[in-house]
Amino acid sequence: MDSKPVRNTMLPYGRQWVDDDDIEAVVRVLKSDFLTQGPAIERFERKVARYVGARYAIAFSNGTMALHGACFSAGISTGDEVITSPITFLASSNCVLYMGGTPVFADIKADTWNLDPLEVKKKITPNTKAIIPVDFTGQPVEMERIMEIAETHDLVVIHDAAHSLGASYGNQKVGILGHMTMFSFHPVKGITSGEGGIIVTDNETYYRKLQLFRNHGLTKNVALMEDNDGPWYYEMHELGYNCRMTDLQAALGDSQMNKLDLFVERRREIANLYTEAFSDMPGLVTPYQADTANSAWHLYVVRWSTESFRVSRKEIFEALRSENIGVHVHYIPVYRQPYYKRLGYSSENCPEAEAYYREAITLPLFPSMTDQDIRNVISAVHKVYYMFVRQLD
Ligand SMILES: *Cc1c(COP(=O)(O)O)cnc(C)c1O
């Protein structure tokens, strides 16, 4: 066995692609009159809305605040239960806690690793108010079935599409499949604005609430005000926050939107190369590929089936890191977090999420990877696989 690592420096699992056009767009804002609350925000919102085919888009300081705003607009409050996946980033359920609601975790499907509609049904009670399905890794969740359940039980669907900007579902872009949909622009996500998030929706009531949430609950819209003392007058109608996006962020996001389809295409190309290279390796499970949806390939996760290897996932992970491949694990089931345990959560009857967590490793995947980077990842996976796979006799 060759003991020299396949690379000399660590390849990250994800990183942004920022080019001269992006830099010029931000510099133009710096030289303009408005650093925040200027024209760049609305331009960015319109561009995202048009791309996904939504009537409204409203940008936030980050995706977490966008989800918080969506829960606020949906009227989530104390006693309300909201069903989401345990295999997600903390924000998908923390947004429910911010509103005093109770996150409820439903198990994932063994093949797609997304929320299982049958498990969602099992967790519905008279207190259920909403569902937050997540397009984990960029692979669209079965929204048609989620929406059917939501209609039957009169639930609001807040689609956490932080991973799936640019993905499609049927012949539609992921965007307005639920009542409100969130995209994140953190640097590891599909496109970046530094920090940033957005909600798209077709619902005007939610849109108005989101506007109030973003800016202290203030309105200057005369039609909505109770009084009008003069031109200076404004009214506070809700306890909102300041979670506005700046024009600097919006200009970057706007410029990045021009490259979104290119980014997704490159991600898909790399994912296909991986899947092909790992096809003859029993025990190594590559990601699900739906016939009816196109993933945005935010993450490429492989599962190392426990019974097929002589060592645990931890040792496999460390071996890949020793090859200077910046692997990661997405995600630790949220209910395992100490904070959630203190709230009374335990395994939440999610055996598929537990099994997934024992076996998952995220490989590097980002559009600016070179062909050599891709070959390095493939070589390292092959090397570690043959080092640890149980020999069948
Ligand atoms: C990144 C992410 C978020 C939160 O977005 P931020 O912009 O980082 O606040 C929410 N949900 C999921 C699934 C994410 O991956």
Side-chain angles (χ1 to χ4, degrees), residues 30-96:
L30 279 168
K31 291 177 175 170
S32 79
D33 292 337
F34 297 97
L35 299 188
T36 191
Q37 290 179 285
I41 300 283
E42 220 180 291
R43 259 201 312 270
F44 179 49
E45 289 172 338
R46 273 203 306 271
K47 196 178 230 170
V48 175
R50 205 176 319 116
Y51 181 86
V52 303
R55 281 177 69 190
Y56 306 105
I58 177 154
F60 291 87
S61 49
N62 57 63
T64 304
M65 287 312 290
L67 281 176
H68 186 178
C71 286
F72 170 88
S73 302
I76 310 292
S77 66
T78 313
D80 292 336
E81 294 173 5
V82 178
I83 302 173
T84 190
S85 170
I87 301 298
T88 186
F89 183 59
L90 304 167
S92 310
S93 56
N94 283 353
C95 62
V96 178

Side-chain angles (χ1 to χ4, degrees), residues 23 39 72 78 88 92 120 146 169 202 287 293 321 352 360 389:
I23 293 166
F72 170 88
T78 313
T88 186
S92 310
V120 170
I146 300 282
Y169 183 78
D202 273 355
R321 279 280 177 97
E352 292 300 343
V389 72

Side-chain angles (χ1 to χ4, degrees), residues 61-65 67 87-92 134-136 160-163 182-186 188-189 195-197 298 331:
S61 49
N62 57 63
T64 304
M65 287 312 290
L67 281 176
I87 301 298
T88 186
F89 183 59
L90 304 167
S92 310
V134 183
D135 290 347
F136 175 57
D160 183 339
H163 297 183
M182 185 279 287
F183 298 110
S184 163
F185 308 118
H186 182 276
V188 297
K189 305 289 165 71
E195 293 272 3
H298 168 54
Y331 291 94

Side-chain angles (χ1 to χ4, degrees), residues 3-306:
S3 61
K4 219 166 79 253
V6 302
R7 293 174 61 87
N8 294 324
T9 56
M10 191 65 79
L11 179 69
Y13 88 90
R15 67 163 286 141
Q16 70 277 12
W17 171 322
V18 173
D19 63 17
D20 289 345
D21 291 340
D22 297 332
I23 293 166
E24 276 165 31
V26 176
V27 170
R28 268 198 302 280
V29 173
L30 279 168
K31 291 177 175 170
S32 79
D33 292 337
F34 297 97
L35 299 188
T36 191
Q37 290 179 285
I41 300 283
E42 220 180 291
R43 259 201 312 270
F44 179 49
E45 289 172 338
R46 273 203 306 271
K47 196 178 230 170
V48 175
R50 205 176 319 116
Y51 181 86
V52 303
R55 281 177 69 190
Y56 306 105
I58 177 154
F60 291 87
S61 49
N62 57 63
T64 304
M65 287 312 290
L67 281 176
H68 186 178
C71 286
F72 170 88
S73 302
I76 310 292
S77 66
T78 313
D80 292 336
E81 294 173 5
V82 178
I83 302 173
T84 190
S85 170
I87 301 298
T88 186
F89 183 59
L90 304 167
S92 310
S93 56
N94 283 353
C95 62
V96 178
L97 294 176
Y98 299 149
M99 298 305 302
T102 305
V104 172
F105 298 100
D107 208 358
I108 58 169
K109 286 180 85 166
D111 55 354
T112 66
W113 313 333
N114 268 329
L115 202 51
D116 184 342
L118 289 174
E119 295 296 320
V120 170
K121 268 193 199 167
K122 284 189 206 161
K123 301 263 167 141
I124 288 175
T125 75
N127 295 325
T128 308
K129 178 95 181 215
I131 309 173
I132 304 183
V134 183
D135 290 347
F136 175 57
T137 73
Q139 172 67 53
V141 62
E142 292 162 273
M143 278 300 278
E144 221 167 317
R145 294 184 62 201
I146 300 282
M147 291 310 287
E148 268 170 36
I149 297 169
E151 268 155 43
T152 308
H153 299 272
D154 196 21
L155 309 175
V156 182
V157 174
I158 300 167
H159 189 179
D160 183 339
H163 297 183
S164 58
L165 182 62
S168 54
Y169 183 78
N171 48 21
Q172 241 185 312
K173 280 270 186 290
V174 165
I176 44 154
L177 305 165
H179 299 114
M180 287 177 266
T181 299
M182 185 279 287
F183 298 110
S184 163
F185 308 118
H186 182 276
V188 297
K189 305 289 165 71
I191 63 162
T192 191
S193 61
E195 293 272 3
I198 206 164
I199 298 286
V200 296
T201 183
D202 273 355
N203 181 304
E204 192 182 344
T205 308
Y206 292 146
Y207 175 63
R208 299 273 167 237
K209 286 256 188 196
L210 287 161
Q211 281 183 316
L212 291 173
F213 179 86
R214 179 171 70 173
N215 193 23
H216 308 280
L218 293 188
T219 184
K220 287 184 179 178
N221 183 342
V222 178
L224 301 175
M225 293 193 310
E226 291 173 16
D227 289 305
N228 189 357
D229 297 352
W232 66 87
Y233 191 70
Y234 54 82
E235 283 182 355
M236 173 181 155
H237 286 184
E238 302 275 2
L239 183 60
Y241 293 78
N242 172 1
C243 45
R244 300 185 298 259
M245 182 181 264
T246 65
D247 277 45
L248 298 165
Q249 291 165 291
L252 177 54
D254 189 310
S255 174
Q256 288 256 304
M257 275 301 285
N258 300 335
K259 297 180 277 274
L260 171 59
D261 285 337
L262 209 85
F263 288 171
V264 173
E265 193 43 48
R266 178 63 177 158
R267 285 175 176 276
R268 180 170 302 136
E269 209 172 86
I270 299 167
N272 288 340
L273 288 170
Y274 283 168
T275 298
E276 201 181 295
F278 308 147
S279 61
D280 266 331
M281 300 166 74
L284 201 69
V285 182
T286 54
Y288 180 80
Q289 308 234 28
D291 330 316
T292 52
N294 279 317
S295 176
W297 292 108
H298 168 54
L299 299 174
Y300 191 95
V301 175
V302 282
R303 281 178 71 163
W304 302 69
S305 310
T306 313

